[in-house]
Amino acid sequence: RLDEAAQKKRSSTLTRSADVVFETLVAIPTHDRQGTYLLRAAVHRDAIWNRIQEDKELLIGYAILLVLFSILLGTFFAGRITWTLAELSEAALRFARGDYAYRNTVATRDELGFLGKTLNFMAEKVDTHIREIEYRSRAMEAMNRIDKTVLASLFDPNVMDMVAEIVAGFLRSGAVILVIPDDASRAYRFSIYEASAPLRTRMRREALPFATLAAGDTLGAPPFEE
């Protein structure tokens, strides 16, 4: 071991001696670099036990402080994990009840935080798909109502008013204007639905004679677009 320490600059070992617990050899060169000192440091069992006996009260105090610190630290992390799990459970329950607009606030940088982000991502995707399905369902319902209205009121002059009201309800817009050319009266027939107007005046009709438009003008050209 002396040769090993001189070559590697250090050699440490746990011993099985009755007196020595740990022993290390450290190689230290002499001031003239011509030789090497070998410093031996050993930890004896009796020395450890005597030190424990001397500092018994201090060690007990340190042990009590360590236990208290461990309890406080454990309580803090346990409370944090409990809150995180409660938040994730609440998000999962709302998700199961169909509340896809809810987003959990877990922002930790661990597995629970990743799970929270995943739940939010899933809820956002499901919410988007549900909105798209609802929009398509309302579109199909509006188209079905328009078909039924037109077929049931083919010769009814109010059919355009009915269609305008159905379209306004589907688009949820403030105003809808339907225009068709009436060759018999040589004018464009307007059916104007305004959701913000009083109930009796929400639907009104207007006519624009063909002669009002100059050659080449269309309803999309100013000032008729207004």
Side-chain angles (χ1 to χ4, degrees):
R1 287 191 58 214
L2 294 178
D3 294 337
E4 179 185 357
Q7 183 179 1
K8 297 182 178 180
K9 306 301 181 185
R10 176 183 291 272
S11 176
S12 301
T13 181
L14 289 173
T15 66
R16 296 183 180 180
S17 171
D19 297 328
V20 179
V21 178
F22 178 79
E23 183 181 45
T24 183
L25 298 173
V26 181
I28 302 176
T30 58
H31 65 282
D32 56 3
R33 303 288 178 179
Q34 299 297 319
T36 301
Y37 293 108
L38 285 174
L39 175 65
R40 176 179 178 269
V43 179
H44 291 260
R45 296 180 188 275
D46 293 338
I48 296 176
W49 178 249
N50 292 335
R51 187 59 183 268
I52 292 175
Q53 291 294 326
E54 291 175 1
D55 299 334
K56 178 171 57 177
E57 295 179 357
L58 182 62
L59 291 175
I60 292 175
Y62 281 144
I64 293 174
L65 290 177
L66 182 61
V67 170
L68 292 176
F69 178 75
S70 300
I71 292 175
L72 291 175
L73 197 62
T75 303
F76 170 76
F77 282 108
R80 184 177 180 182
I81 293 175
T82 301
W83 173 86
T84 303
L85 291 176
E87 180 72 11
L88 293 177
S89 299
E90 178 68 16
L93 285 175
R94 292 201 179 191
F95 188 80
R97 294 171 183 169
D99 185 7
Y100 302 110
Y102 179 78
R103 300 291 183 268
N104 69 78
T105 57
V106 177
T108 56
R109 298 182 179 180
D110 52 11
E111 292 80 0
L112 294 177
F114 178 76
L115 179 59
K117 291 181 181 179
T118 303
L119 284 176
N120 285 342
F121 178 77
M122 290 172 59
E124 184 176 351
K125 286 296 182 182
V126 172
D127 189 35
T128 301
H129 290 311
I130 287 179
R131 291 179 183 273
E132 184 177 353
I133 292 173
E134 289 178 348
Y135 177 83
R136 293 184 179 183
S137 177
R138 289 193 300 108
M140 293 177 65
E141 181 183 357
M143 293 171 63
N144 187 38
R145 290 181 60 192
I146 291 173
D147 289 341
K148 289 182 178 180
T149 300
V150 172
L151 291 176
S153 311
L154 192 57
F155 301 101
D156 190 340
N158 298 324
V159 65
M160 283 185 58
D161 300 345
M162 300 177 187
V163 172
E165 186 173 355
I166 293 173
V167 173
F170 163 64
L171 295 178
R172 298 174 180 173
S173 56
V176 171
I177 302 175
L178 294 184
V179 186
I180 62 170
D182 187 353
D183 294 328
S185 60
R186 302 294 300 166
Y188 288 101
R189 290 174 50 195
F190 285 74
S191 288
I192 305 173
Y193 179 88
E194 290 183 288
S196 59
L199 183 60
R200 294 183 178 180
T201 59
R202 285 183 183 177
M203 179 62 66
R204 70 178 192 272
R205 301 175 191 169
E206 295 182 7
L208 180 68
F210 290 164
T212 308
L213 295 176
D217 282 347
T218 65
L219 290 176
F224 306 109
E225 63 179 353
E226 298 180 4

